[in-house]
Amino acid sequence: MEIKITKASTLKEKPDSSALGFGKIFTDHMFMMDWNDEKGWSNARIVPFENISLHPASTVLHYGSEIFEGLKAYRRKDGKVQLFRPIENIRRMNRSAERLCLPQIPEEDALQILKTFVGVEQDWTPSAEGTSLYLRPFMFGNDESLGVHAVHNATYVIIASPVGSYYKEGINPVKIMIEDEDVRAVRGGTGYAKCGGNYAASNRAGQRAEQKGYSQVLWLDGVERKYIEEVGAMNVMFKIGDEIVTPMLSGSILPGITRMSCLEVLKKQGYKVSERLLSIDELGEALENGTLEEAWGCGTAAVVSPIGELCYKDVKYTINNGEIGKVTQYLYDTLTGIQWGKIEDSFGWTLSIE
Ligand SMILES: *Cc1c(COP(=O)(O)O)cnc(C)c1O
């Protein structure tokens, strides 16, 4: 596919890596491409970063027709830039698109787009410990009409943002509140799709948890409020005795690429790993009798985030003395080692940008 590149006439100054934060600074260019149901995809272009102009009736503004992805480009010690399992993000984006009746992008095209765009912006990949270039592909329905139906027009965009280290002061275990009122998603809904609407629906619980001093909520299933689903915008895993348990992908859980990678690393290492239903009662019992040894969230932003405290119906439980556990640390070291090219990628997960 042909990608037209229009370079910005002046380039921005690169920020100091200590001032990065998350998603506040954007690079010089963005990728855009248009779709309509007669012509398919067209006009693939890399253009100077700028505001997007939308018709006030644009579908996305009224009916939430939007999906997104999140992945990172990492600067290796040898100076090269690499991506981590980008094909998995592309496949997931296409599954999200299918759920929301947005158009899919052929895998080879989507990968070529990503590689070309990162190639153009790779100088923006910071090199300080733990920093990376966050990539945010997203797609939205863009009909100029208020009629409710699957869209005839859509726009695909990729923006990029250099981001700081998630753990500036070492890995601090987080406090999580189990949410028993709001739900994030239900089976048959959009839980497995990475769509903005899921986030809009989860903000209220997140805000309430924050007001009580918790960093995120742990979601329960939407039907019985009984089974563990995921935590905030991360998947969740528990070490109960010798077994590592993570909720199975039932349709209402986002199939995380970090989740998938953790499971593969753990299996290769010989751990007993189960994807199954895990009820709040079973978790409560494991907390009471001390067999819950470790708990952690996993996602692209933090890689793994140890959980030091869980609160359920105002009862507080401390996990592993509020410290990071051995398995959590092992996963962190292995995944970040592969991502930043510090250890050998025996899984073949990385893709280097030329
Ligand atoms: C993106 C996301 C995750 C984590 O997925 P990764 O591919 O590991 O980054 C987990 N839960 C939700 C709700 C998400 O949006």
Side-chain angles (χ1 to χ4, degrees):
M1 101 180 309
E2 199 198 327
I3 303 171
K4 186 166 178 255
I5 300 176
T6 309
K7 288 275 175 80
S9 51
T10 53
L11 299 183
K12 299 173 201 168
E13 203 177 314
K14 309 275 189 301
D16 191 83
S17 65
S18 63
L20 290 176
F22 181 79
K24 292 179 297 194
I25 297 163
F26 296 93
T27 63
D28 293 304
H29 302 92
M30 61 205 247
F31 173 85
M32 290 187 88
M33 177 164 80
D34 308 314
W35 178 87
N36 74 47
D37 55 2
E38 277 156 28
K39 283 199 306 193
W41 289 108
S42 68
N43 199 10
R45 59 205 187 270
I46 290 169
V47 293
F49 188 92
E50 61 185 355
N51 287 357
I52 297 173
S53 168
L54 292 178
H55 190 282
S58 174
T59 322
V60 64
L61 299 177
H62 301 269
Y63 306 127
S65 177
E66 192 264 358
I67 57 171
F68 66 95
E69 273 302 325
L71 71 162
K72 288 171 168 178
Y74 305 86
R75 173 84 60 194
R76 297 194 315 231
K77 281 276 168 293
D78 66 3
K80 283 241 170 79
V81 168
Q82 67 183 17
L83 300 173
F84 181 74
R85 310 191 78 173
I87 196 68
E88 299 297 341
N89 292 89
I90 288 165
R91 289 181 181 142
R92 183 170 66 190
M93 186 171 74
N94 280 335
R95 292 196 302 270
S96 299
E98 194 278 333
R99 179 64 184 80
L100 275 87
C101 293
L102 285 165
Q104 301 186 37
I105 304 176
E107 284 179 15
E108 321 78 69
D109 291 345
L111 194 59
Q112 186 201 338
I113 289 166
L114 205 54
K115 282 165 73 175
T116 307
F117 178 62
V118 177
V120 169
E121 295 298 67
Q122 60 177 311
D123 286 353
W124 279 90
T125 315
S127 54
E129 177 80 22
T131 63
S132 56
L133 182 65
Y134 185 79
L135 304 167
R136 170 52 63 88
F138 61 104
M139 190 192 297
F140 55 93
N142 198 12
D143 284 359
E144 300 180 349
S145 143
L146 295 175
V148 179
H149 46 68
V151 294
H152 304 294
N153 298 273
T155 304
Y156 177 55
V157 188
I158 309 175
I159 54 176
S161 168
V163 297
S165 171
Y166 195 88
Y167 295 110
K168 275 196 216 71
E169 288 118 32
I171 305 183
N172 279 324
V174 293
K175 291 161 68 176
I176 300 289
M177 199 179 93
I178 300 180
E179 172 66 34
D180 56 4
E181 204 174 305
D182 286 1
V183 297
R184 191 189 81 94
V186 291
R187 236 165 289 164
T190 55
Y192 71 89
K194 213 167 169 72
C195 65
N198 290 341
Y199 279 73
S202 57
N203 277 337
R204 186 172 70 173
Q207 192 185 37
R208 280 197 300 236
E210 240 171 67
Q211 282 161 356
K212 290 186 177 169
Y214 290 86
S215 59
Q216 293 200 20
V217 302
L218 180 67
W219 297 106
L220 299 178
D221 78 277
V223 179
E224 298 180 69
R225 310 273 207 287
K226 181 174 169 192
Y227 296 103
I228 307 293
E229 298 239 302
E230 55 183 310
V231 26
M234 287 187 281
N235 295 110
V236 68
M237 298 186 177
F238 302 91
K239 181 167 189 288
I240 303 175
D242 292 334
E243 185 190 16
I244 289 161
V245 188
T246 194
M248 61 196 226
L249 300 176
S250 56
S252 51
I253 295 173
L254 199 286
I257 293 156
T258 319
R259 173 189 182 278
M260 181 199 277
S261 306
C262 285
L263 295 179
E264 288 172 47
V265 165
L266 290 170
K267 279 182 198 158
K268 193 171 181 189
Q269 207 53 23
Y271 282 99
K272 182 180 174 209
V273 179
S274 314
E275 297 177 71
R276 61 172 175 85
L277 287 174
L278 174 65
S279 71
I280 186 71
D281 298 334
E282 182 184 348
L283 189 68
E285 224 167 88
L287 280 163
E288 297 284 353
N289 67 21
T291 50
L292 182 66
E293 296 173 12
E294 296 182 40
W296 64 91
C298 47
T300 296
V303 188
V304 292
S305 178
I307 300 173
E309 182 186 315
L310 271 180
C311 176
Y312 183 53
K313 295 196 192 291
D314 291 326
V315 184
K316 294 173 182 168
Y317 301 89
T318 302
I319 301 167
N320 195 36
N321 296 318
E323 287 162 19
I324 184 168
K326 266 200 344 229
V327 175
T328 315
Q329 184 74 54
Y330 174 74
L331 284 171
Y332 183 80
D333 294 341
T334 305
L335 290 181
T336 58
I338 294 173
Q339 288 164 339
W340 274 276
K342 291 184 232 166
I343 62 176
E344 198 207 322
D345 171 18
S346 59
F347 293 91
W349 284 340
T350 54
L351 177 73
S352 121
I353 300 293
E354 292 316 319

